Amino acid sequence: MYAQLRETASELAGVLWREHTVYRERGGGVVIRGEHVERWISLAPTGGKDRALLRAGRLLDGGTTAPARTEVVVDLTAPVSELAAVCRRMLAEVAAAAEPPAAGPSRAGRPGKVRKGKGGGSGPSRAGRPEKARKSRHTGAGSWVVLVLVGIAVAAWAYTVFGGPGY
């Protein structure tokens, strides 16, 4: 079974990605890694003849693999082009799950106001890794009102204690 999985995985890797690594995993399956797209696909035996469990997921920073986002049982006797179509659909699902949700309400509850990272976008950077968002520490209008009122109260107290009219 491993020979069939390895052969199918090698053909599939050639169709999907120019740059790839194919290796055997501990459970007897085969993994195809696409480092440049930060995704992986694995083919594992299911116990049935000519059938395999096809799983897809992301590669994390440092090269470790994230758990599979999607999986399906496929027939290994199907043409490689059909298997590649299934893999592309699964990889699209993995990519969609890795993207942050569309611009919605921010923490302040104001719709459409999105904090942007260093690159000017709120989504992943070119390499697919999320950028660190800068923390905005601006003083809000409500805080300014409180500060002005406290200042007025302190000034009124000082005026009455130290320099008020001598009545």
Side-chain angles (χ1 to χ4, degrees):
M1 183 67 175
Y2 173 73
Q4 184 181 12
L5 285 176
R6 175 79 180 192
E7 181 182 327
T8 303
S10 296
E11 290 177 29
L12 193 56
V15 170
L16 292 174
W17 300 313
R18 290 182 189 169
E19 301 172 32
H20 59 270
T21 305
V22 179
Y23 63 91
R24 182 177 184 177
E25 63 182 350
R26 283 184 264 172
V30 180
V31 177
I32 307 166
R33 289 174 68 107
E35 298 285 341
H36 62 293
V37 292
E38 296 180 343
R39 304 286 182 258
W40 60 266
I41 297 172
S42 75
L43 291 158
T46 61
K49 185 177 179 186
D50 295 330
R51 298 190 68 76
L53 178 64
L54 184 66
R55 298 182 306 149
R58 300 183 305 123
L59 293 177
L60 302 175
D61 292 337
T64 59
T65 57
R69 290 284 192 174
T70 181
E71 56 185 38
V72 67
V73 176
V74 294
D75 185 11
L76 293 176
T77 59
V80 175
S81 59
E82 288 181 21
L83 292 176
V86 171
C87 288
R88 286 186 183 108
R89 179 183 52 81
M90 292 174 68
L91 290 168
E93 290 176 15
V94 168
E99 290 180 6
S106 66
R107 287 193 304 174
R110 292 172 287 202
K113 184 130 179 147
V114 178
R115 290 186 182 188
K116 295 189 177 188
K118 289 182 180 178
S122 62
S125 65
R126 284 181 284 147
R129 291 182 290 273
E131 296 175 347
K132 292 183 180 177
R134 282 185 256 152
K135 300 274 184 184
S136 177
R137 296 288 180 189
H138 295 288
T139 306
S143 297
W144 282 113
V145 169
V146 170
L147 288 173
V148 168
L149 291 175
V150 168
I152 291 171
V154 169
W157 173 80
Y159 180 74
T160 57
V161 171
F162 298 111
Y167 299 116

